[in-house]
Amino acid sequence: MEAITRDFFLFLSKSNILNRLAQNWGSQIATGKIIGGKNFEASIPMIRKLNEQGLTVTVDHLGEFVDSREVARERTQECIRAIQWIAQEKLHSHVSLKMTSLGLDIDLDLVRDNMSSILECAEQHEVMVTIDMEDEARCQKTLDLFKEFKQRYHYISTVLQAYLYRTEQDLEELNQYAPFLRLVKGAYKESSKVAFPEKEDVDENYKKLIKKQLLSGHYTAIATHDDKMIDFTKKLAEEHQIGKDRFEFQMLYGMRNKTQLELVKQGYNMRVYLPYGNDWYGYFMRRLAERPANIAFAFKGMLKK
């Protein structure tokens, strides 16, 4: 049943018709519930409120799979403006982006130019930029770019997905870069040739990755709504005397709000992933596909006034 639910929402995520309807009619419903707003400026009050509650933030201008150089340049400038807003408003926020939004599917040199402009701004304002991970077909290019930029810039991090067979090896290869990594289970539909098809195997691999990264001493973000993974991380940190300043939990805006605040009260670093922009539909469908419980969390948040 879980596999059917996942496939259903992943199928919906690829519907151009539903995506256009969501952009035209759904943004008002989503704003303040699962996204911050149509633009970064509109999201600032929400970021500030989260900060006042002790929560840090990662913002993401939604949109990916760009096939136009002009749009890739526009996405680059949007990211730079977000970094400048964060610095100007003194917000506790990182920025997340996808390489396809900067032109990964067009030209690698275009991506390098765009990303270099973003990272120069990030270094100037000391704002962390996370390269988000996409499907397995783009994984190697994304990691190669991360390694290249990590040798020149400090304020850069990336994401590894537990459902891919290759990820444990990727983690070991990245260790020399002392990376700040966000660890996730993964949200794209992949072949069993490259990804674990069973949830139990994904969960076990996720635990293995969390343990390896935490014991390496490198700062780690555990991005999950799964109580079992949260408890596993807490116990692991206690057992190995890993300070709460060496890792953080991450959850999506609009989901498990009470749990987020409880973790803050317990002294843990808690970061909220806050997307913004019109192109929210595909993001939302993939989040529902990740875990059945997210469906209840999401709709409960959207119905809340």
Side-chain angles (χ1 to χ4, degrees), residues 18-284:
L18 292 176
N19 188 39
R20 285 196 296 271
L21 287 172
Q23 289 184 12
N24 293 333
W25 305 103
S27 294
Q28 195 169 18
I29 297 172
T31 297
K33 303 293 175 38
I34 59 172
I35 64 172
K38 290 186 176 181
N39 54 50
F40 184 84
E41 189 173 1
S43 305
I44 290 176
M46 295 176 199
I47 299 172
R48 199 178 301 283
K49 181 178 179 180
L50 290 168
N51 287 169
E52 290 171 354
Q53 294 175 317
L55 300 159
T56 53
V57 175
T58 288
V59 294
D60 182 1
H61 182 228
L62 294 170
E64 53 197 283
F65 306 126
V66 168
D67 58 7
S68 160
R69 288 176 177 269
E70 181 180 354
V71 174
R73 294 292 188 190
E74 290 173 358
R75 294 292 170 85
T76 299
Q77 291 306 310
E78 171 62 33
C79 192
I80 290 172
R81 284 193 294 271
I83 292 170
Q84 292 170 337
W85 271 111
I86 289 168
Q88 178 181 314
E89 298 296 318
K90 295 181 172 56
L91 303 172
H92 298 293
S93 180
H94 294 175
V95 172
S96 180
L97 53 79
K98 288 182 169 64
M99 291 288 90
T100 53
S101 72
L102 304 186
L104 182 67
D105 294 344
I106 303 171
D107 178 29
L108 279 175
D109 286 336
L110 174 65
V111 175
R112 288 188 178 97
D113 289 344
N114 288 339
M115 192 63 180
S116 293
S117 297
I118 291 169
L119 291 173
E120 288 292 338
C121 182
E123 293 289 308
Q124 177 185 347
H125 295 294
E126 299 183 351
V127 174
M128 182 66 71
V129 175
T130 299
I131 300 177
D132 206 351
M133 191 56 68
E134 302 179 69
D135 58 3
E136 193 275 339
R138 296 173 174 86
C139 182
Q140 189 61 55
K141 286 183 180 179
T142 301
L143 290 178
D144 288 344
L145 287 166
F146 170 74
K147 293 172 185 176
E148 180 180 325
F149 288 124
K150 189 70 172 78
Q151 296 179 65
R152 292 159 39 205
Y153 299 102
H154 175 71
Y155 289 93
I156 181 172
S157 62
T158 193
V159 179
L160 291 181
Q161 300 168 314
Y163 71 164
L164 296 179
Y165 299 139
R166 60 172 292 165
T167 301
E168 185 177 3
Q169 182 62 38
D170 289 332
L171 182 64
E172 292 178 2
E173 291 179 2
L174 287 173
N175 187 58
Q176 62 180 302
Y177 297 91
F180 167 14
L181 296 177
R182 180 201 299 162
L183 302 179
V184 303
K185 290 187 181 181
Y188 292 88
K189 185 173 177 58
E190 303 285 3
S191 164
S192 59
K193 293 180 180 179
V194 300
F196 294 103
E198 301 298 330
K199 177 184 182 299
E200 293 79 6
D201 294 326
V202 176
D203 287 352
E204 286 306 307
N205 199 43
Y206 194 38
K207 290 178 181 179
K208 186 186 296 185
L209 297 174
I210 292 171
K211 185 173 183 178
K212 279 180 174 289
Q213 178 67 359
L214 283 178
L215 292 181
S216 74
H218 308 316
Y219 193 81
T220 308
I222 298 94
T224 183
H225 296 150
D226 190 335
D227 286 327
K228 292 181 181 178
M229 297 304 158
I230 294 170
D231 291 340
F232 171 80
T233 302
K234 289 179 178 179
K235 291 175 182 176
L236 181 69
E238 291 174 6
E239 179 183 346
H240 294 277
Q241 298 183 327
I242 299 169
K244 292 178 180 178
D245 61 334
R246 299 306 308 149
F247 64 96
E248 64 185 42
F249 293 108
Q250 295 188 359
M251 294 185 190
L252 303 175
Y253 179 72
M255 299 189 191
R256 306 214 68 183
N257 300 339
K258 290 183 179 179
T259 301
Q260 294 174 15
L261 295 176
E262 286 172 4
L263 287 168
V264 171
K265 288 180 181 178
Q266 293 169 12
Y268 292 100
N269 295 319
M270 178 65 231
R271 185 175 301 278
V272 178
Y273 183 87
L274 179 68
Y276 69 95
N278 284 332
D279 197 11
W280 64 273
Y281 171 77
Y283 153 81
F284 186 45

